[in-house]
Amino acid sequence: MKKIIIVSMIAAVAVIYAAGCVKKAPSAPDLNITPQKSATTTETLQAAFTATVTSTNSPSVTQAPFTATSTQTISQTVTETLTETVSPTITVTLTITFTPNETGTIGAQLTATMTSMFAGAWGTIGNGAGQLNTPYGIAADASNNIYVADCGNGRIQEFTSSGAYVTVCGSAGILNGQFNGLIGVAVDTAGNIYGSDQGGARIEKFSPADSFLLKWGSSGNGDNMFNAIALIAAAGGNIYAVDYNNDYIQVFDTSGNFIKRFGTAGSGSGAFTRPYGIAVDGSGNIYVSDSGNNRIEVFDSGYNYTAQFGGTGNGDGKLNYPHGIALDGNGNIYVADMNNERIEEFTTSGAFVRKWGSAGSGNGQFGGPAGVVVDSNNNVYVTDYQNNRVEKFTP
């Protein structure tokens, strides 16, 4: 999303003397243009200035330095384009046009645009339609509608991709179609909705019209049993459920029939310590956020361990209690790095790409990023559970 921003310098004029020296015009103290040779030969044009960036929907960035250099012929108009990242979610592109004229002056016109990853947020604390109370899991359907596990209100809410409220599914309680500790949400290709009910040690399934269909699971540590079920995923006709306290993953078909259980407690390859989030790619590879070991573990479609990445810390590529995990259409991996209050992006092979976010309640900040999902347009949605909202970011 591009917006015109306000920059402290709009234009400047520099006077060229016969000897090739340039004097900065008094009216342009923030922009220097320095041709290094005579006006009849090739010139090196340099511009250095300080910009103050303001926007109505993004954090302000002040005193951001930019520089541009080029070697061009002075007899023609020269346009410099410079891109600078001034915050984790904001990129500023500056265009400077140098235009010579017959009187021996160079006019410099500066324009700038800003691209912000932050694309909006929705949700306030409460129990009304569209309000949220500690949202956790998040999912998207084929039409890019967004489903939010509204944990504190015991319900799943559906929104459009722009945050408009659509409908609600479930309510607080212990009966069929109710939740007693809702954590995760998933949507299958048919539009059926699934919620992981931690207090009820079960998964509940609803129709696309939000009607209760069935449930499965009970409390314990065996097949089809849960001890603090966490986030869930729907992929390839299966439902994948993370069991936080039992340190394993369970796989079911969409009718709740048990298929497989994998993982054990520990810190070795293929083991877990308090796993939380899960995602599955188009080839059936499974990605699990192993929160207690501060890493992401990867398994193939046969449930065999293949790789891991991450590690404890707050540097690039490091993690501190990771929660939700999601994949985009290019196979990139997004991790809700809970205690570092940020989102980190990795390649399919686990190489660090970028990060954004910090602690707080401002735009692009987090008070506990819990769940993350990516729609078919590669927009990223994050449940900011302490701030009771969902934040949206563009690619």
Side-chain angles (χ1 to χ4, degrees), residues 97-266:
T97 302
F98 301 93
T99 306
N101 58 49
E102 295 177 355
T103 63
T105 63
I106 300 177
Q109 180 68 41
L110 172 65
T111 58
T113 57
M114 180 180 69
T115 302
S116 175
M117 288 180 63
F118 177 77
W122 69 83
T124 57
I125 181 67
N127 59 11
Q131 292 186 305
L132 299 168
N133 187 347
T134 58
Y136 239 80
I138 189 168
D141 66 17
S143 299
N144 292 332
N145 294 306
I146 305 301
Y147 299 77
V148 179
D150 188 7
C151 182
N153 288 320
R155 63 187 181 181
I156 296 168
Q157 293 199 75
E158 179 185 350
F159 301 87
T160 67
S161 59
S162 59
Y165 171 80
V166 177
T167 189
V168 66
C169 174
S171 61
I174 60 174
L175 302 177
N176 291 341
Q178 295 185 319
F179 297 106
N180 180 26
L182 172 66
I183 296 293
V185 60
V187 183
D188 66 22
T189 55
N192 297 301
I193 306 161
Y194 303 80
S196 56
D197 185 14
Q198 192 169 96
R202 62 186 181 177
I203 294 174
E204 294 192 85
K205 179 179 179 178
F206 298 80
S207 73
D210 306 314
S211 300
F212 172 80
L213 296 176
L214 59 92
K215 64 182 179 182
W216 69 87
S218 60
S219 182
N221 59 5
D223 295 347
N224 200 21
M225 303 176 78
F226 302 107
N227 184 0
I229 186 173
L231 299 180
I232 57 177
N238 293 329
I239 304 299
Y240 299 78
V242 180
D243 196 317
Y244 182 79
N245 281 340
N246 281 328
D247 295 311
Y248 54 59
I249 309 299
Q250 293 194 73
V251 186
F252 306 88
D253 67 20
T254 55
S255 296
N257 298 305
F258 175 82
I259 296 174
K260 180 72 175 180
R261 184 178 72 188
F262 64 95
T264 58

Side-chain angles (χ1 to χ4, degrees), residues 36-384:
Q36 302 297 308
K37 298 181 181 179
S38 69
T40 59
T41 62
T42 300
E43 304 291 343
T44 299
L45 304 179
Q46 294 181 322
F49 54 92
T50 299
T52 300
V53 181
T54 62
S55 173
T56 59
N57 73 336
S58 297
S60 296
V61 181
T62 59
Q63 303 301 307
F66 300 87
T67 59
T69 61
S70 179
T71 300
Q72 301 285 351
T73 302
I74 200 66
S75 61
Q76 66 184 25
T77 297
V78 178
T79 299
E80 297 286 355
T81 299
L82 178 68
T83 299
E84 182 92 353
T85 299
V86 295
S87 85
T89 62
I90 299 175
T91 300
V92 175
T93 301
L94 297 145
T95 302
I96 309 167
T97 302
F98 301 93
T99 306
N101 58 49
E102 295 177 355
T103 63
T105 63
I106 300 177
Q109 180 68 41
L110 172 65
T111 58
T113 57
M114 180 180 69
T115 302
S116 175
M117 288 180 63
F118 177 77
W122 69 83
T124 57
I125 181 67
N127 59 11
Q131 292 186 305
L132 299 168
N133 187 347
T134 58
Y136 239 80
I138 189 168
D141 66 17
S143 299
N144 292 332
N145 294 306
I146 305 301
Y147 299 77
V148 179
D150 188 7
C151 182
N153 288 320
R155 63 187 181 181
I156 296 168
Q157 293 199 75
E158 179 185 350
F159 301 87
T160 67
S161 59
S162 59
Y165 171 80
V166 177
T167 189
V168 66
C169 174
S171 61
I174 60 174
L175 302 177
N176 291 341
Q178 295 185 319
F179 297 106
N180 180 26
L182 172 66
I183 296 293
V185 60
V187 183
D188 66 22
T189 55
N192 297 301
I193 306 161
Y194 303 80
S196 56
D197 185 14
Q198 192 169 96
R202 62 186 181 177
I203 294 174
E204 294 192 85
K205 179 179 179 178
F206 298 80
S207 73
D210 306 314
S211 300
F212 172 80
L213 296 176
L214 59 92
K215 64 182 179 182
W216 69 87
S218 60
S219 182
N221 59 5
D223 295 347
N224 200 21
M225 303 176 78
F226 302 107
N227 184 0
I229 186 173
L231 299 180
I232 57 177
N238 293 329
I239 304 299
Y240 299 78
V242 180
D243 196 317
Y244 182 79
N245 281 340
N246 281 328
D247 295 311
Y248 54 59
I249 309 299
Q250 293 194 73
V251 186
F252 306 88
D253 67 20
T254 55
S255 296
N257 298 305
F258 175 82
I259 296 174
K260 180 72 175 180
R261 184 178 72 188
F262 64 95
T264 58
S267 57
S269 298
F272 303 114
T273 299
R274 303 297 185 260
Y276 218 100
I278 190 164
V280 184
D281 68 20
S283 299
N285 296 303
I286 305 162
Y287 303 80
V288 180
S289 57
D290 185 13
S291 296
N293 290 316
N294 294 308
R295 64 185 179 182
I296 305 301
E297 291 197 272
V298 187
F299 301 81
D300 64 22
S301 58
Y303 315 112
N304 302 299
Y305 167 85
T306 60
Q308 64 178 277
F309 57 91
T312 303
N314 59 10
D316 293 349
K318 299 299 183 181
L319 299 166
N320 188 348
Y321 212 59
H323 270 49
I325 184 169
L327 303 164
D328 68 16
N330 300 315
N332 295 309
I333 303 160
Y334 299 81
V335 180
D337 190 8
M338 171 72 79
N339 287 349
N340 282 326
E341 305 285 5
R342 65 187 183 184
I343 301 297
E344 288 200 277
E345 180 184 347
F346 300 86
T347 66
T348 305
S349 60
F352 173 80
V353 176
R354 59 177 173 169
K355 63 186 177 185
W356 71 87
S358 60
S361 58
N363 295 336
Q365 294 185 309
F366 302 111
V372 58
V373 71
V374 184
D375 70 16
S376 64
N377 296 317
N378 289 339
N379 295 304
V380 181
Y381 305 80
V382 182
T383 48
D384 184 12

